[in-house]
Amino acid sequence: MQKATMVLEGGATRGVFSSGALDYLMEKDFYTSHVIGVSAGACNAVDYVSRQIGRTRDCMIHKEPELNYFYGFRKGFKEKSLMDMDMIFDKYPNELIPFDFDTYFHSEMHCELVTTNCKTGKAEYMTEDSDSVRLMKIARASSSMPLVSPIVNVDGIPYLDGGLADSVPVNRALEIGNEKIVLILTRNPRYRKSALPRGIVKLYRGAYKKYPNLVHAILTRNFYYNKVMNQIDALEREGKVFVLRPLVKPVSRLEKDYDLLMAFYQHGYDEMKKQYEKLEAYMEK
């Protein structure tokens, strides 16, 4: 167990890059004392804590029709979701691709999953140490992208994708206080977010008019994301964080193509393998 904080960015299916990197780390028995996962990074985080090599990959990349979690247009319109979230956060962990709740709940690793409180528009760093249903509900909330997934109620409070309020929680990692911080990102070096087009802004305002603080978080996300990326670049130059990023074009966030997803997963695995000695050196200095 390394006394360090692992930070896992989201990005929906771009998260297969992180799952490849984490699978390599698990093969090397490299585990950190603290983990923070956002959106798809939350799914990677819980599988890392449960020490299930390949589980996130198998959940996100498959050809079997019975494992498909994408709705067609007609059903998606009816369910108000592009994805079958019950499949991902109920049938997968409890039936189809079992999640090791016992290992997770007995782990010495401290795992936080980032959600966005729809009422406040603020990030919350949520944990669960014994209740399997609540754990999956938090992971679901963290992964529920606006407009394409329904709001998730946890303890009576509405939540959505943690990336809306804190896409890459490096400052949360700094608050935890571990000297070492490992960041696995899903965008290329120097990537920055653009402001939302006017039409999309109007769509968000209409969809979430009950939650003005959430809308504010969504509309200012690019500013805070870019500010954090600049901060991470500075910390990396100073040798204060270890960062792994994809060096090829990332897949789209709702990619379905099996070969593209497998290639991006393998890229994450290979890049971590290439950088592992550098990671060890960072941990030891």
Side-chain angles (χ1 to χ4, degrees), residues 46 58 93 100 191 211 237:
V46 295
D58 294 344
D100 189 345
Y191 169 80
Y211 302 110
R237 287 192 299 269

Side-chain angles (χ1 to χ4, degrees), residues 2-9 21-22 25 30-32 34-36 48 168-170 173 178-185 240-244 272 279-280 282-283:
Q2 303 277 354
K3 187 168 177 54
T5 302
M6 178 80 69
V7 177
L8 302 171
E9 186 181 15
L22 291 172
L25 290 181
F30 182 99
Y31 292 94
T32 57
H34 293 73
V35 186
I36 311 173
Y48 181 55
V168 185
V170 65
N178 287 328
E179 184 179 344
K180 304 298 181 181
I181 298 173
V182 179
L183 297 163
I184 302 182
L185 308 181
K240 294 181 178 178
V241 297
F242 175 90
V243 185
L244 189 80
M272 183 56 81
L279 173 59
E280 286 187 309
Y282 165 75
M283 296 300 299

Side-chain angles (χ1 to χ4, degrees), residues 38-144:
V38 185
S39 194
C43 298
N44 274 306
V46 295
D47 288 341
Y48 181 55
V49 176
S50 68
R51 303 188 176 220
Q52 291 180 268
I53 298 173
R55 184 178 184 275
T56 308
R57 176 200 62 209
D58 294 344
C59 289
M60 299 181 76
I61 311 174
H62 39 69
K63 293 181 178 179
E64 299 85 352
E66 64 270 19
L67 296 179
N68 180 38
Y69 54 79
F70 282 103
Y71 284 136
F73 176 78
R74 182 176 297 178
K75 190 166 185 181
F77 181 79
K78 178 183 177 182
E79 300 290 338
K80 298 182 180 179
S81 178
L82 291 181
M83 294 176 289
D84 186 344
M85 301 298 273
D86 288 337
M87 168 80 79
I88 299 170
F89 295 102
D90 183 8
K91 290 184 180 179
Y92 276 4
N94 294 306
E95 301 174 27
L96 301 175
I97 310 175
F99 179 77
D100 189 345
F101 289 103
D102 189 60
T103 296
Y104 182 91
F105 289 137
H106 286 89
S107 175
E108 294 180 0
M109 302 166 71
H110 181 78
C111 183
E112 296 184 346
L113 308 182
V114 186
T115 59
T116 298
N117 184 314
C118 295
K119 292 183 177 180
T120 66
K122 302 295 184 182
E124 293 187 14
Y125 308 92
M126 305 179 74
T127 63
E128 178 52 55
D129 300 322
S130 61
D131 187 331
S132 61
V133 174
R134 186 173 183 272
L135 175 64
M136 286 297 114
K137 188 173 284 189
I138 293 170
R140 177 172 179 162
S142 181
S143 305
S144 290

